[in-house]
Amino acid sequence: MINKKVLNAQEALTGIKDNMTLMLGGFGLCGIPENSIAQLVKLGVKNLTCISNNAGVDDFGLGLLLKDKQIGKMISSYVGENNEFERQMLSGELIVDLIPQGSLAERCRAAQAGIPAFYTPAGYGTEIGEGKESREFDGKMHLMETAFNADFSMVKAWKGDEAGNLIFKGTARNFNPNMCGSAKITIAEVEELYPAGELDPNEIHISGIFIQRIFQGNNYEKRIEQRTITKR
Amino acid sequence: MINKKVLNAQEALTGIKDNMTLMLGGFGLCGIPENSIAQLVKLGVKNLTCISNNAGVDDFGLGLLLKDKQIGKMISSYVGENNEFERQMLSGELIVDLIPQGSLAERCRAAQAGIPAFYTPAGYGTEIGEGKESREFDGKMHLMETAFNADFSMVKAWKGDEAGNLIFKGTARNFNPNMCGSAKITIAEVEELYPAGELDPNEIHISGIFIQRIFQGNNYEKRIEQRTITKR
Amino acid sequence: MLDKIGIAKRIAKEVKDRYYVNLGIGIPTLVANYINKDIDVEFQSENGLLGMGPFPYDEEVDADIINAGKQTITTLPGASFFDSASSFSMIRGKHVDLTILGAMEVSENGDIANWKIPGKMVKGMGGAMDLVASAENIIVAMMHTNKAGESKLLKKCSLPLTGLSCVKKIVTNLAVLEITSAGFQLIERAPGVSIETIKKATEGKLIITGDIPEMKIN
Amino acid sequence: MLDKIGIAKRIAKEVKDRYYVNLGIGIPTLVANYINKDIDVEFQSENGLLGMGPFPYDEEVDADIINAGKQTITTLPGASFFDSASSFSMIRGKHVDLTILGAMEVSENGDIANWKIPGKMVKGMGGAMDLVASAENIIVAMMHTNKAGESKLLKKCSLPLTGLSCVKKIVTNLAVLEITSAGFQLIERAPGVSIETIKKATEGKLIITGDIPEMKIN
């Protein structure tokens, strides 16, 4: 067993520098790597390019990095819910590259899978297709989309083991598995870290081979954006 | 819950006709849809194109279809272990299209995912690349491979529920998940079929949306090709 | 004339037995409440859930189980969780039977614009571009006119497009219309709405063939 | 001169700590038996298992747990199962550190032929083409010459290729060689094998620089 365990977020994020491209899992605030984000704030690295479906809210998630102006470019599918984001984007401080959510997920997965490019119909005929190659398959037009190329990927899982194997919970899974092995180094933070052999090999969502560093996170806030309930 | 349960292999394979293209899960004899294959033999449909990593052995797996000359074309990555196969191939009765195993898996997955084509380096510069488009990405040559287009897909899982959700066991997983939803109709046979709600939504390998018909198989032989053991 | 709930109720009638359905944010979300209880339908949430149930009771709330609108939700028996790439395999691979979403504009050939207004803050297309590019059955839920009273059913969309020639049907506060090769084919009028009103509110080519019934919703 | 076990033992020394390794059928499979027990290595089996262990005891045999050679095997702590597409994501995505496989021919620029002999029954390439196309560290295990005594280290492969310019190192019964831009660079001689013998058995360009040590295997 190849042990991927590191002590904490500080050790896990060793090597992250200004101007790097990072992938961050999560959908809204669900399943985001809270400990890694906190450590990025502490490191104070600047001019990051962040590939993440969303950009957090003003005071949580990637919003924490935006507040400190650590992000130079966001690659996302949806960036509402964040006033500071809006301000930086409108002022031109922040470059925003909006891409269809399915293409975002598949471009992460393509990087993981060593597939340099693939075709999807999403965005054809829209401004998303401008400057992109298009091609017809079965009478339908498609765009060629390419794999992402990132330095670090940061994901959050529910359970993990020292071999780097991961199990996600509920919809906190989202982009996290697709971002494993999609960057040069993938850092996984987990709520529960087990010795190798404790997780059932059949129930693992992502194999440890895609993970370079794993640590047990703490103080998960798991903030809810829209607490919607059914009244009894 | 959309109920996908059918009574048996006979009901599940309704609509399969001569000249159709079928996908069949399994690696060697591990994880093959034994009940569906037996039903194909019973149906006696001819001139099938079978997409399957392997072609079984003389008297089991797809070998049963070969014996009855039901297969006109095999699309596989490895077809050893089968004398009748060899005879039919050398005599020209059987057309064989050999493709790299990773491209085979990814072309199944592409069909499932609505991706008409993707690029892979596998086979570039070999006879596999002849007649295929090639293209350079990051200084390396790749081939364009396209999604498969099949009529029926037949997969075998360990546990399933009436909603069509599947859980596979061990290396009997192999191509099975990648062939779900990769044909017009996907038939899943399972060792254990449960009412919806009995399987943990977090532990499901393949969502029921990819499955049109599910049935509980019986009399699984699970033949072993190479029984290798460690002596005490 | 229909209110938002009326639109949702009318669209609910388009949801057939054994459909997998993806509902957009806004009016489409309401549709789930009015679907015939006698049919089996499963809702797909593109953030990674099939078999979405209602909002949880207070004590059941789980931050790790949300829908694409980031609302806390529950799962129904037969549900499954999956990653985002798999979710869009369902969408791009045409495994989802019906997509219901809102729009700012629809053109007479079925183009849709619903993600961007030049000069205003752009929040992003989320999964909408993937959905409209692949879904074979797309129903748009929207008001027939915008707040300024201008038609949202146009000859040509003025806003940046989300997808080309993809919308199949539109349900507005005034009418139900199908996109045909000839233009907006009027199918039903909302209760109490005249053909004249619909004509005035429709900038794109409106096709009216024979009697147009008033829609029935419960 | 080495026998097959000798070749496996020599290759085992190329397996470094924390390597994920894919072993082909034949001599490569034997390598697993001779790896230094003090290092951590995981074996990937392309049919869907990472963390492959030894053959099971008789009563442990499970038909649902096999390796790519269709042999019954076991799993080690930290193992995981996955589907074929994910397996080749590991391979194509360069997550596997070392690939060891057999060959019929290798050319001086690193081309490899190991899947097809024209006129003979072709069994197929299995995962070999994916492996050689993507792996950055490929070691070939083979006899230096074929049964007819002809060199398998050629100027140019005569058989249909499996992959182009991909082999990094070759371990044969006679020698260890690296593929360099100049040709086959001789690194080590097998015990008791003379440079002359290696020269005679090598058709492709053989580069000999300085003293060539005899290989050490235990």
Side-chain angles (χ1 to χ4, degrees), chain B residues 36-114:
Chain B
S36 295
I37 292 170
Q39 179 62 19
L40 283 173
V41 172
K42 207 178 277 178
L43 287 172
V45 284
K46 299 282 182 194
N47 197 32
L48 300 171
T49 293
C50 291
I51 301 168
S52 172
N53 190 55
N54 312 93
V57 295
D58 275 318
D59 60 346
F60 202 58
L62 289 186
L64 298 170
L65 297 179
L66 286 162
K67 204 164 63 178
D68 288 357
K69 299 184 183 167
Q70 292 182 258
I71 303 179
K73 182 177 178 180
M74 277 298 310
I75 300 175
S76 303
S77 87
Y78 192 82
V79 293
E81 279 79 81
N82 194 317
N83 295 319
E84 176 61 17
F85 186 99
E86 186 167 346
R87 197 197 60 70
Q88 290 185 22
M89 179 170 148
L90 294 175
S91 74
E93 292 166 64
L94 180 66
I95 300 168
V96 180
D97 189 2
L98 291 169
I99 60 181
Q101 192 174 145
S103 300
L104 180 69
E106 191 66 15
R107 290 175 69 184
C108 294
R109 192 258 174 194
Q112 175 190 73

Side-chain angles (χ1 to χ4, degrees), chain D residues 71-92:
Chain D
Q71 299 171 310
T72 48
I73 39 107
T74 56
T75 62
L76 295 175
S80 55
F81 294 112
F82 38 84
D83 62 71
S84 298
S86 300
S87 179
F88 284 88
S89 288
M90 295 176 189
I91 290 167
R92 204 188 303 102

Side-chain angles (χ1 to χ4, degrees), chain B residues 79 127 140 222 228 230 232, chain D residues 55 59 64 116 123 133:
Chain B
V79 293
E127 61 180 59
K140 184 169 179 169
K222 295 197 184 184
T228 42
T230 296
R232 286 205 188 266
Chain D
F55 296 148
E59 69 278 12
D64 290 328
K116 186 174 183 177
K123 294 191 169 184

Side-chain angles (χ1 to χ4, degrees), chain A residues 6-224:
Chain A
V6 296
L7 209 59
N8 51 30
Q10 189 186 342
E11 189 181 345
L13 269 67
T14 305
I16 295 192
K17 297 195 180 72
D18 292 353
N19 310 312
M20 279 189 165
T21 296
L22 312 182
M23 287 185 170
L24 298 109
F27 186 99
L29 302 178
C30 183
I32 58 173
E34 295 186 18
N35 284 249
S36 295
I37 291 171
Q39 179 62 20
L40 283 173
V41 171
K42 207 178 277 180
L43 287 172
V45 283
K46 301 281 182 194
N47 197 32
L48 300 171
T49 293
C50 291
I51 301 168
S52 171
N53 189 55
N54 312 94
V57 294
D58 275 317
D59 60 346
F60 202 58
L62 289 187
L64 298 171
L65 297 180
L66 286 163
K67 205 164 61 177
D68 288 358
K69 299 185 183 165
Q70 292 182 257
I71 304 179
K73 183 176 177 181
M74 277 299 309
I75 300 175
S76 304
S77 87
Y78 192 82
V79 293
E81 278 80 82
N82 193 317
N83 294 320
E84 175 61 15
F85 186 98
E86 186 168 346
R87 196 197 60 70
Q88 290 185 22
M89 180 170 147
L90 294 175
S91 74
E93 291 166 64
L94 181 66
I95 300 168
V96 180
D97 189 2
L98 291 169
I99 60 182
Q101 192 175 144
S103 300
L104 179 68
E106 192 66 15
R107 291 176 69 184
C108 294
R109 192 259 174 196
Q112 177 190 71
I115 289 173
F118 61 91
Y119 293 91
T120 173
Y124 176 76
T126 76
E127 61 179 59
I128 297 307
E130 287 167 20
K132 285 194 171 152
E133 274 189 47
S134 61
R135 180 162 175 158
E136 191 177 317
F137 291 96
D138 293 327
K140 184 168 178 170
M141 293 303 294
H142 292 72
L143 297 178
M144 188 177 84
E145 295 282 359
T146 56
F148 283 126
N149 188 357
D151 297 296
F152 278 84
S153 185
M154 290 167 208
V155 304
K156 151 77 171 36
W158 176 32
K159 297 176 183 177
D161 69 17
E162 294 178 348
N165 294 307
L166 301 179
I167 296 175
F168 303 90
K169 185 177 153 224
T171 57
R173 193 181 314 188
N174 57 65
F175 286 84
N176 285 299
N178 309 127
M179 289 180 171
C180 292
S182 308
K184 292 183 192 80
I185 293 177
T186 299
I187 299 162
E189 59 178 87
V190 297
E191 291 179 54
E192 302 171 15
L193 184 58
Y194 296 91
E198 295 286 305
L199 302 181
D200 183 339
N202 214 43
E203 293 181 1
I204 285 161
H205 292 141
I206 275 291
S207 287
I209 194 172
F210 295 116
I211 307 299
Q212 277 67 49
R213 305 172 189 170
I214 190 168
F215 70 97
Q216 178 155 342
N218 51 42
N219 300 320
Y220 283 103
E221 182 177 340
K222 295 197 183 185
R223 196 184 295 186
I224 292 171

Side-chain angles (χ1 to χ4, degrees), chain B residues 27-28 30-31 54 76-82 85-86 89-90 98-103 105-106 109 119-128 140 156 169-175 177-178 191 222-232, chain D residues 25 46-49 54-73 81-86 88-89 92 94 115-116 119-130 132-135 160-164:
Chain B
F27 186 100
C30 184
N54 312 93
S76 303
S77 87
Y78 192 82
V79 293
E81 279 79 81
N82 194 317
F85 186 99
E86 186 167 346
M89 179 170 148
L90 294 175
L98 291 169
I99 60 181
Q101 192 174 145
S103 300
E106 191 66 15
R109 192 258 174 194
Y119 293 91
T120 173
Y124 176 76
T126 76
E127 61 180 59
I128 298 307
K140 184 169 179 169
K156 150 78 170 37
K169 186 178 153 225
T171 58
R173 193 182 312 188
N174 57 66
F175 287 83
N178 308 128
E191 292 179 53
K222 295 197 184 184
R223 196 184 294 186
I224 292 171
E225 283 186 78
Q226 307 275 347
R227 189 184 175 92
T228 42
I229 59 167
T230 296
K231 295 235 167 71
R232 286 205 188 266
Chain D
I25 296 170
E46 67 264 28
N47 58 317
L49 167 60
F55 296 148
Y57 290 119
D58 198 43
E59 69 278 12
E60 288 174 343
V61 167
D62 184 340
D64 290 328
I65 304 183
I66 65 168
N67 66 16
K70 286 127 187 172
Q71 299 171 310
T72 48
I73 39 107
F81 294 112
F82 38 84
D83 62 71
S84 298
S86 300
F88 284 88
S89 288
R92 204 188 303 102
K94 301 181 190 297
W115 78 284
K116 186 174 183 177
K120 282 207 180 177
M121 166 68 185
V122 182
K123 294 191 169 184
M125 69 293 283
M129 278 195 186
D130 306 275
V132 302
S134 294
L161 294 184
T162 308
L164 286 183

